[in-house]
Amino acid sequence: MPRPGRCRPVGWPMFVPLLLLHVQACADGGTDDAPDPRRPLSLGAPEAVFPKDFGYVHTVRELPGGDVLTADPLGKALYRVDMETGVRAVVGTLGEGPEEYQQPDAVWPLPGDSILLVDLGRGQLVRVGPELEFGIAHTIATFQEDGGVVMAIPAGIDLAGNVYTAAMGGFPPDPDGRGAILRIGLAEGSVDTAGSFKRMDVVVEESENGVSISPIPLSPQDAWGVADDGSVVVARSVGYGVDWYAPDGSVTRGDTILHEPVPIATAEKAEYFRDRRRHAGIGMGISRSSDGLTTATFWRGGSSGSEEPDYDNYSWPNVKPALHPATVRVDPSGRAWVKRHLPANTGTAYDLFDRQGRLVRAVTLEGDRRVAGFGPGSVYMVAFDEFDLAYLERYGLP
């Protein structure tokens, strides 16, 4: 993404301590300090750490009994993991037949203790039953009559089985820099809009050879996720806070949260590219056969170049936005976990918001970690080491 010459930016550009409220005790003259949700609390040590590494972990699904199911797209395996004994077993096999997959990428909860397996290699969403038996499959890509394509790669799933995904972008970009959040009913083949979010800012370069679009790293970008009931939560990167979009179309706008902007220096730029390397995006290719049949292929990972990029080839804002664009996960208590931006190499932070959009807890962890899923009383994190290997951890829910 070279820095353009003649450009037109597309898009737009607070942790101050709050005073603790002291409540006078009525009888003995003592005081109680009302807890400040802005004051970060450490999650502490994990309850369990799986000793073997994974190539990548995007999601986990806790099974009845406490084991977890997770997909490793880089290792090309679906695992049943026992966090207590440190043992994992492969579920299914690599191949093209029943009970087989090509590149399992993620697992999502479905009604009745079932699971939706995202198999990028075969371009399918596969229903896996409570006994981990493979069932009906749906194609990821649906081609529309107007030539467009809807990709049902989930960023969230509700307990009715609807898939939520960002609509594919295009040119010209939306003048407000926003993208649509699609709700896809796999059984009915229905598609509607469940909300919208601000995309990363881009730079548009116009020349005699046409138009090129380059994203601006670390520019403000909303993050979003889905609750079990189908409510969509959007974390605002401009005027930091969260908005909840209910299934009936009503919107609850949360408080605006002040934060201390983090200046972008060399360390922040290096961290940005390290984050991209560790969380390799999904690639897609579309081909058309001689008989007019259009097919799509998908993959995660691939070569991103071993050399560190030249930071001067990119346009950068002066400060980081408040939040990281990682998918917002919603825990069993209905709290939205929003990953915060911190100065480079200073750990991981999440803000937790309730269904009224109020900040109710701020938590921190050491190192580079990201929420992968929840159990009834647990939060699962994927942690990365200096070699970019992923490790699965379980913590108690705060």
Side-chain angles (χ1 to χ4, degrees), residues 198-221:
K198 182 190 180 306
R199 295 183 180 274
M200 177 183 288
D201 293 343
V202 299
V203 176
V204 178
E205 179 184 13
E206 301 176 2
S207 68
E208 295 179 354
N209 298 324
V211 178
S212 65
I213 302 174
S214 301
I216 299 176
L218 292 176
S219 57
Q221 178 181 1

Side-chain angles (χ1 to χ4, degrees), residues 15 25 40 59 76 119 140 189 229-230 234 237 249 253 282 307 312:
F15 181 94
T59 61
K76 296 188 175 181
D119 182 2
I140 288 176
D229 67 351
V234 177
S237 56
R253 184 172 177 85
I282 294 175
E307 296 183 0
D312 290 338

Side-chain angles (χ1 to χ4, degrees), residues 309-390:
D310 185 348
Y311 305 149
D312 290 338
N313 285 339
Y314 297 82
S315 297
W316 300 88
N318 293 324
V319 297
K320 284 183 172 183
L323 63 93
H324 189 286
T327 299
V328 177
R329 311 286 191 184
V330 181
D331 69 19
S333 298
R335 298 174 300 185
W337 288 57
V338 179
K339 184 174 171 66
R340 289 289 307 272
H341 269 310
L342 297 176
N345 307 314
T346 58
T348 298
Y350 276 89
D351 283 348
L352 280 59
F353 293 86
D354 66 13
R355 295 297 289 260
Q356 286 71 50
R358 297 175 299 210
L359 176 63
V360 294
R361 182 65 60 88
V363 299
T364 60
L365 304 96
E366 295 182 355
D368 182 11
R369 284 163 168 80
R370 189 174 292 193
V371 174
F374 301 96
S378 303
V379 53
Y380 291 88
M381 294 276 183
V382 55
F384 292 88
D385 66 11
E386 66 271 24
F387 303 108
D388 298 336
L389 296 176

Side-chain angles (χ1 to χ4, degrees), residues 4-344:
R6 182 157 52 93
C7 323
R8 183 174 71 251
V10 178
W12 33 64
M14 288 175 331
F15 181 94
V16 295
L18 299 179
L19 292 176
L20 292 177
L21 176 64
H22 296 281
V23 181
Q24 185 72 33
C26 59
D28 58 12
T31 61
D32 283 332
D33 286 339
D36 181 359
R38 297 291 309 281
R39 178 176 294 170
L41 299 175
S42 171
L43 274 187
E47 296 176 341
V49 178
F50 192 75
K52 303 181 182 70
D53 64 85
F54 298 85
Y56 186 71
V57 173
H58 179 47
T59 61
V60 301
R61 170 74 158 113
E62 187 173 290
L63 303 173
D67 287 357
V68 294
L69 198 68
T70 191
D72 183 348
L74 303 186
K76 296 188 175 181
L78 178 65
Y79 289 110
R80 181 171 186 150
V81 179
D82 187 331
M83 296 290 291
E84 304 302 330
T85 65
V87 174
R88 64 187 177 193
V90 176
V91 177
T93 57
L94 199 63
E96 294 285 351
E99 312 287 314
E100 295 180 336
Y101 41 73
Q102 284 292 315
Q103 191 183 31
D105 187 69
V107 289
W108 296 92
L110 286 175
D113 289 333
S114 293
I115 294 143
L116 190 70
L117 170 65
V118 181
D119 182 2
L120 291 180
R122 298 179 72 172
Q124 294 181 339
L125 305 175
V126 184
R127 188 183 185 96
V128 180
E131 302 302 320
L132 302 186
E133 72 280 9
F134 286 48
I136 188 171
H138 301 271
T139 58
I140 288 176
T142 303
F143 294 92
Q144 309 297 299
E145 293 182 357
D146 61 2
V149 58
V150 174
M151 290 198 310
I153 297 179
I157 291 182
D158 64 27
L159 285 185
N162 297 307
V163 168
Y164 295 75
T165 189
M168 292 185 64
F171 183 80
D174 181 90
D176 295 325
R178 302 194 66 80
I181 299 169
L182 303 181
R183 180 191 297 112
I184 302 172
L186 295 178
E188 308 84 8
S190 60
V191 180
D192 66 335
T193 300
S196 68
F197 69 104
K198 182 190 180 306
R199 295 183 180 274
M200 177 183 288
D201 293 343
V202 299
V203 176
V204 178
E205 179 184 13
E206 301 176 2
S207 68
E208 295 179 354
N209 298 324
V211 178
S212 65
I213 302 174
S214 301
I216 299 176
L218 292 176
S219 57
Q221 178 181 1
D222 291 353
W224 63 275
V226 181
D228 287 348
D229 67 351
S231 296
V232 173
V233 56
V234 177
R236 306 185 305 264
S237 56
V238 177
Y240 175 51
V242 302
D243 297 333
W244 286 92
Y245 293 76
D248 64 6
S250 61
V251 181
T252 299
R253 184 172 177 85
D255 301 332
T256 298
I257 308 300
L258 299 178
H259 73 280
E260 184 69 32
V262 176
I264 296 176
T266 300
E268 281 68 36
K269 296 175 182 179
E271 182 186 59
Y272 170 80
F273 286 105
R274 184 187 66 202
D275 190 66
R276 286 187 56 188
R277 183 177 67 246
R278 289 178 174 176
H279 301 278
I282 294 175
M284 182 187 74
I286 296 178
S287 61
R288 188 182 300 273
S289 63
S290 58
D291 58 3
L293 180 64
T294 302
T295 58
T297 55
F298 304 89
W299 63 90
R300 184 185 290 275
S303 175
S304 59
S306 57
E307 296 183 0
E308 191 72 6
D310 185 348
Y311 305 149
D312 290 338
N313 285 339
Y314 297 82
S315 297
W316 300 88
N318 293 324
V319 297
K320 284 183 172 183
L323 63 93
H324 189 286
T327 299
V328 177
R329 311 286 191 184
V330 181
D331 69 19
S333 298
R335 298 174 300 185
W337 288 57
V338 179
K339 184 174 171 66
R340 289 289 307 272
H341 269 310
L342 297 176

